Each structure stands twice: as C-alpha cells, then as structure tokens.
Amino acid sequence: MLVAQEIKALRNDDASQRQAQARLAAAVERWRTGPRFQPFREEMEQLAQGKALAAQANLAQLFDPTGGATPGLAADLAAGLVDLIAAELKEFPLVQSPLRHFADGAVSSLLVAQVGTVALMIQAVDGPALMRRQPVQTTSFTAGETWDHVLTGTAEAELVQIIGSKPGGVELRKSECCLVPGAVSFRDGSRESLLIRKVSTCLVTLKLQRRLGQNGVVRQFRLDDGSLVHLAAGSWRESRLELAAALLGRMGRRDAAPLMAAMAEEQGPQSLRWQSLRECIALDSASGFATLCRIAAKADDPLAMPAGAMRAQLLESYPQLGEFDQCPK
C-alpha cells in the first residue's frame, strides 16, 4: 500500500498535526467571538427566545425577504469564515474543520454557529452529483422556519405547500421557482418544503433555521398523491425515548409495561406516546389494551381516533380482550 510521506511522519510524531488542529480551532473561535460575527450571534440568541427576525437589525440585513437584505453582506460574511479555514488547510492540508459538517455526495453543509434552537449554516449543492441521483418521490415537513440567501450559483427548484388535509394525507400544491444569486426567501417548515431540482454548477446558500416547539413531528408525504409515508420524532430526545421504548419491547421486559402505560397517557409527543402504547400492548396485553381503551374514550385526546381504530381491530381479531374494554358501551 502506498502511504504518503506526510502520513508516515505523523505515525512517529503527531505533535505538528495536533498543534495545527488546535491552531485552526482557535482561529475559528476568534472569528466567531470577534467583532465581525458577534453582533449576529447576539441576535441569534434573541431569535431563539422567540423574537421576530425583523427586530434583529444585523440578521435582517442578511435574511429579510421583503427586500431589506443588504446586497453582498451575506457573501462577505461567509467568505470571511471560509477564507480563514481555507488558508489553514492550504498550510496544513491534513487538519479538519472544527465546525460540524455534513456531506452526502451532492449536498454539503457547514454549521457556522448554533444558539439554542437557531442555527446558521453554509450549504453547497453540487449540480452534476445532484443530476446523477434518482428524482425524489417524497417531501418532508417539520415545525420550524428557514431563511435562505443564495450566495452563488443558480438552480431550478419546486416549492411544495400543504393547502389542505384529506384521509390518509394532505393536499399539496407545487410551484416552480428559480434561485439566483442574492435571492432571499422564507419558508414555514410545517407547511412548506423546497426541492432543488437542477443546479447549473454549484449552488451555495447561507441558511438561518429556527426550530419551533419541543414536540414537533417530521411528516413525510408522497409528492404524487400527498399520502402519508412516515412520521418521525422532531427532536433527538424524543427519538432516544422512542428507541428506548422499542428496545424494552424487543427485550421482552414485561416489568416495563406500567412505565409504558404511563408514558402513553401523558400529555407528551404523540409519536412517543403511540410507540409506548404499542410496546405496552406487546409486553402486557391486559394492561396495554386497558390503556388503549382509556385513550380511545377521551374525546379531546389527539390519539383518541387512532386508538379507537386499533381497539376495534384488536377486538375483531381477539374477542377475549373484551373483558378489559373500558370504553363506554
């Protein structure tokens, strides 16, 4: 195997690599806490507290979709950080960015800063790589807000909006749009989704995102008919709790059934409550079915309707469960 001389040298002494990594991390932190970026960071804290974007003078210059954004300011801000990292990489090509980043072959994201529920990031979409992918068949919606400022590149996109509900899904409206340098847009993530269809070369955007609520659910629908495909927890905490509930179920921990029943009846995230209910029924049919019936009997409970449908299905398949039925006859 061919190993570069630089890699061989690091096997014996990696002190220079560790020093270069620390140097880059310190340089990025100085930029983020320095006078160039600190005003934006302070306003991100206000945004995380629920304040309006229009009330944040600096952020509004970047992301005001009504025409208040200052031309060139977003590009200059992003270039300041990217040039700093690029200069360090040129001198020390083996260092890694201290900022969180993601890449999947077509889309790359660099997290500039995060304050509570608000995140600022730079995102690049590679046009040729995007064209090699299969066209997307679904789109997702979640409780949150997104402001986009196109820094460079052009793209053909499709704005997908939820305009109504129907059994088993939603009514979708799709409209084509074009992204060009300097374009600023806003989306309500609970009912609007943007799909990038075609990019000329590389599309680079500065994004500001704010998550709304702690109990948000990510909903995925088919683009052709609006049918519901998937529901997922909107937070890491909920996902971890759902995974823990599923694990207890797979382990056959019958002693966890009372806890699952209590979680199912709490006023919490619907997806977590439903997962807990299903695991409770699997672990202890009597306790789980009784819990199911109590939920189905509460008209003001958002899970009452699906719980009622499951109750009817279970009674049809297992009539003996009727002795645990607590719903009004």
Side-chain angles (χ1 to χ4, degrees):
M1 181 175 68
L2 179 63
V3 179
Q5 292 299 320
E6 296 85 353
I7 302 296
K8 287 182 180 179
L10 290 176
R11 287 177 173 177
N12 298 322
D13 183 7
D14 66 350
S16 61
Q17 175 69 14
R18 289 187 283 106
Q19 291 170 1
Q21 192 67 52
R23 172 177 159 175
L24 176 57
V28 169
E29 189 59 24
R30 283 196 300 272
W31 183 87
R32 294 204 299 181
T33 58
R36 183 71 182 91
F37 184 71
Q38 187 60 25
F40 297 99
R41 191 181 186 91
E42 292 174 355
E43 291 185 355
M44 288 174 65
E45 294 178 358
Q46 297 295 312
L47 206 65
Q49 295 173 14
K51 306 296 177 58
L53 177 76
Q56 316 308 319
N58 293 286
L59 286 176
Q61 292 184 67
L62 299 177
F63 296 106
D64 184 357
T66 64
T70 301
L73 180 60
D76 290 342
L77 182 69
L81 177 60
V82 172
D83 289 346
L84 183 154
I85 296 176
E88 294 292 330
L89 286 171
K90 184 177 181 180
E91 186 173 355
F92 303 100
L94 297 180
V95 299
Q96 298 182 5
S97 169
L99 300 176
R100 289 176 55 188
H101 50 280
F102 160 85
D104 65 0
V107 181
S108 302
S109 299
L110 181 69
L111 181 64
V112 177
Q114 182 165 359
V115 180
T117 58
V118 176
L120 180 69
M121 67 187 70
I122 301 172
Q123 184 179 87
V125 182
D126 183 80
L130 184 66
M131 288 298 294
R132 290 192 292 268
R133 289 185 169 181
Q134 293 294 324
V136 296
Q137 305 297 322
T138 64
T139 189
S140 299
F141 301 87
T142 188
E145 298 172 323
T146 298
W147 292 264
D148 286 326
H149 191 137
V150 179
L151 304 181
T152 185
T154 60
E156 297 175 11
E158 187 175 54
L159 180 64
V160 184
Q161 297 171 296
I162 296 176
I163 59 174
S165 58
K166 65 180 183 180
V170 294
E171 295 286 348
L172 297 175
R173 178 173 61 198
K174 289 166 271 189
S175 54
E176 296 181 355
C177 57
C178 185
L179 304 180
V180 296
V184 180
S185 60
F186 167 78
R187 295 191 307 280
D188 176 355
S190 65
R191 59 182 183 85
E192 295 177 314
S193 175
L194 185 68
L195 302 177
I196 306 297
R197 295 298 191 184
K198 183 179 180 180
V199 176
S200 55
T201 53
C202 183
L203 178 75
V204 182
T205 58
L206 186 66
K207 288 179 173 290
L208 182 68
Q209 295 181 328
R210 174 167 62 177
R211 300 194 312 273
L212 298 178
Q214 297 298 316
N215 301 328
V217 175
V218 180
R219 300 176 296 161
Q220 185 180 27
F221 300 97
R222 293 192 187 280
L223 287 170
D224 55 358
D225 59 5
S227 60
L228 179 65
V229 175
H230 183 65
L231 290 175
S235 75
W236 285 107
R237 179 180 180 275
E238 293 171 28
S239 294
R240 286 194 296 267
L241 290 173
E242 286 189 32
L243 181 60
L247 178 60
L248 289 171
R250 299 298 84 77
M251 293 173 64
R253 289 289 300 273
R254 199 168 187 272
D255 59 316
L259 174 61
M260 297 294 102
M263 291 174 63
E265 294 193 79
E266 288 179 352
Q267 294 302 313
Q270 294 181 35
S271 59
L272 175 59
R273 292 179 59 206
W274 190 251
Q275 180 69 34
S276 301
L277 179 60
R278 293 173 63 238
E279 299 301 340
C280 181
I281 294 173
L283 291 169
D284 185 335
S285 57
S287 174
F289 189 76
T291 302
L292 175 71
C293 293
R294 288 195 297 271
I295 294 175
K298 298 176 182 177
D300 59 343
D301 193 319
L303 290 183
M305 184 174 295
M310 179 183 283
R311 167 182 165 272
Q313 183 180 4
L314 289 174
L315 283 173
E316 182 178 353
S317 302
Y318 308 98
Q320 61 272 30
L321 289 174
E323 61 182 289
F324 306 111
D325 195 343
Q326 299 184 11
C327 289
K329 301 299 189 289

